[in-house]
Amino acid sequence: MNSIDLYRDLTDLAHDAPNWLRTFADIGTEGGLLLLMAVAALGWWRSRSGTARSVALAVLVPIATVVAYLLSEVVKSLVDEERPCRAVAGAAASIVSCPPEGDWSFPSNHSTIAAALAVGIAIAWRAAAWAALPIALLTGFSRVFVGVHYPHDVAAGLALGAAVAALGAALLSSPATDLVLRMRAGRWRVLVEA
C-alpha cells in the first residue's frame, strides 16, 4: 500500500468516525505538542535537584527541538510537496482547514517537534518515556487523520526529530554538563540547581 492509498484510507476513517473522535484528533494535534512541552519543562524542573548531567540533558530537549524544527523548515522549502488535502483526488475532505498554498507538507513539522521532544524527554528522564513516546506517535498520526499530511510526511518528521534529539544528546551532553557545573558555581545557579 502506498502513502496516497493509506492517506485515503485514514481520511475515510476520519470522515466516518464519531464527531467526538474527530474533535479529539483536531485538539490532539496541538494538544500533544503542548503536553510534551509541559513534560519537558517538568523534566527540567525536577532535574535541578539531580546531577549536572541530568540538568544538561533536560536543557538540551528544547534546544534540539528548535534545531529539528528549523531543519524541517529547510527541508520543506527544498521539497515543496503540496498538501494531500489539496492534491489527492478522491480523498475525503480533511476534518480541519487545509493549510494555505505554500505551506508545504514534507516533512510534518508537528511530527518533527513531537519526536524531538519525546526522544529528548526519554533520554533526559527515562521514567517519562512511557508517556512521551506514545504521545509523539499519536500527535503524528493525528496529522494524517485530520487530513493535512501524508503518512510519509509524518514518518519523515518523526525520524528527523528523533535523530536530532538523539544526536544532540550524544554530541552536546558533555559540553552542556560542563556549562551547568560553571553555572552552579556562579550567580545562575537558580536555573540549574534546586
Side-chain angles (χ1 to χ4, degrees):
M1 176 175 283
N2 66 34
S3 195
I4 292 173
D5 291 339
L6 186 54
Y7 172 81
R8 280 192 187 110
D9 288 347
L10 290 173
T11 54
D12 285 346
L13 179 68
H15 186 70
D16 295 337
N19 206 26
W20 67 266
L21 183 57
R22 290 194 304 265
T23 302
F24 181 75
D26 181 18
I27 293 168
T29 198
E30 302 298 334
L33 293 182
L34 293 174
L35 188 55
L36 288 168
M37 288 176 196
V39 172
L42 180 62
W44 161 74
W45 185 258
R46 68 176 289 286
S47 75
R48 294 169 51 246
S49 62
T51 65
R53 178 172 166 75
S54 67
V55 174
L57 289 172
V59 168
L60 287 173
V61 174
I63 293 168
T65 301
V66 169
V67 170
Y69 168 74
L70 293 173
L71 285 173
S72 74
E73 280 296 308
V74 169
V75 174
K76 273 182 183 279
S77 69
L78 295 172
V79 175
D80 292 350
E81 178 185 72
E82 190 61 71
R83 295 279 181 163
C85 44
R86 198 177 286 93
V88 176
S94 60
I95 60 174
V96 298
S97 298
C98 193
E101 286 190 47
D103 185 351
W104 306 114
S105 190
F106 182 88
S108 163
N109 284 342
H110 282 75
S111 299
T112 301
I113 293 166
L117 285 166
V119 169
I121 290 165
I123 292 168
W125 185 12
R126 292 190 193 275
W130 68 269
L133 296 172
I135 291 169
L137 293 174
L138 285 170
T139 300
F141 174 79
S142 74
R143 299 303 287 164
V144 180
F145 190 80
V146 299
V148 296
H149 279 291
Y150 293 103
H152 66 264
D153 299 336
V154 168
L158 290 171
L160 176 62
V164 170
L167 215 67
L171 297 176
L172 299 175
S173 63
S174 182
T177 300
D178 292 342
L179 179 60
V180 169
L181 289 169
R182 285 195 302 274
M183 290 175 76
R184 281 184 169 176
R187 65 179 140 171
W188 296 100
R189 81 185 294 149
V190 71
L191 296 174
V192 294
E193 189 172 75

